[in-house]
Amino acid sequence: VVYGSLSHHFLSGLLERVVAAERREHHRPALREVLLDLPWRRLIAADLLPTTVIAAGLALLVVPGLVALTWFSVTLPIVNLERKPVLASFARSYELVRGHSWRAFGVAICAFAIPEFAVGSIARVTHHLTQNAILTAIGHAIPAIVLLPIAALPIVMLTFDLVDLDNDASSDATSSPTR
């Protein structure tokens, strides 16, 4: 779980930096630059908090967990993109997703649930075939390292789209004449 989460954070941060550089016509950052510049503590805290909320919501009833998954789906990219503290990033995620909940829900389910299901399935098959704890751990680790970071791309792209929509709405509100 830790290796998948850390690789997810790193790839998410890398993707956010590359996409931002492309959109703003800046230089692409080097891997080392991204690795050293990511707000690791805030990213890990911002990962643990919604994971706990979503798991609790799913344990109590499925709907609260899915609502939390939707509301906080762009929290990690916001921590990195806007450099906000953890709780402010949660509020920002909620603010961005509001009005786009179905889109955020669809992206989040595809980005998180499908890779998690695949990782779990591969681990179960590995365990069934080998009955060996070490091989089962490897059967979990390899697909987690490969698949979970891939989940970052649609979430990062969704975040940029929602931020752009929010910026457009803000600029429309400030440029429209008041009566």
Side-chain angles (χ1 to χ4, degrees):
V1 173
V2 172
Y3 44 80
S5 182
L6 291 177
S7 62
H8 172 81
H9 296 326
F10 173 69
L11 188 59
S12 178
L14 177 64
L15 289 170
E16 181 272 321
R17 297 293 168 81
V18 169
V19 171
E22 289 292 322
R23 287 182 173 219
R24 297 177 185 137
E25 297 180 2
H26 295 298
H27 84 283
R28 283 188 183 173
L31 288 176
R32 179 174 166 73
E33 181 183 342
V34 172
L35 185 62
L36 294 174
D37 190 48
L38 285 177
W40 287 103
R41 287 186 192 126
R42 286 188 312 214
L43 287 170
I44 291 168
D47 185 31
L48 293 175
L49 188 57
T51 300
T52 304
V53 170
I54 291 164
L58 290 172
L60 295 173
L61 295 169
V62 172
V63 174
L66 295 176
V67 169
L69 173 71
T70 302
W71 284 351
F72 306 128
S73 59
V74 299
T75 301
L76 290 174
I78 290 298
V79 166
N80 193 38
L81 178 66
E82 297 184 354
R83 299 296 177 155
K84 293 182 178 289
V86 173
L87 293 179
S89 296
F90 278 94
R92 179 71 168 144
S93 178
Y94 173 77
E95 175 187 313
L96 290 171
V97 168
R98 191 178 59 228
H100 307 281
S101 297
W102 285 110
R103 180 178 176 202
F105 174 75
V107 171
I109 287 295
C110 291
F112 295 128
I114 293 171
E116 285 289 348
F117 177 77
V119 168
S121 297
I122 293 168
R124 281 189 295 283
V125 168
T126 304
H127 177 72
H128 178 73
L129 293 175
T130 66
Q131 298 295 314
N132 182 301
I134 294 172
L135 292 177
T136 299
I138 292 169
H140 183 273
I142 292 171
I145 290 168
V146 171
L147 294 176
L148 295 182
I150 294 170
L153 182 59
I155 296 298
V156 167
M157 296 307 296
L158 173 66
T159 304
F160 273 102
D161 289 348
L162 293 176
V163 167
D164 287 348
L165 287 170
D166 185 59
N167 289 342
D168 290 346
S170 296
S171 65
D172 288 347
T174 58
S175 65
S176 63
T178 55
R179 296 179 192 210

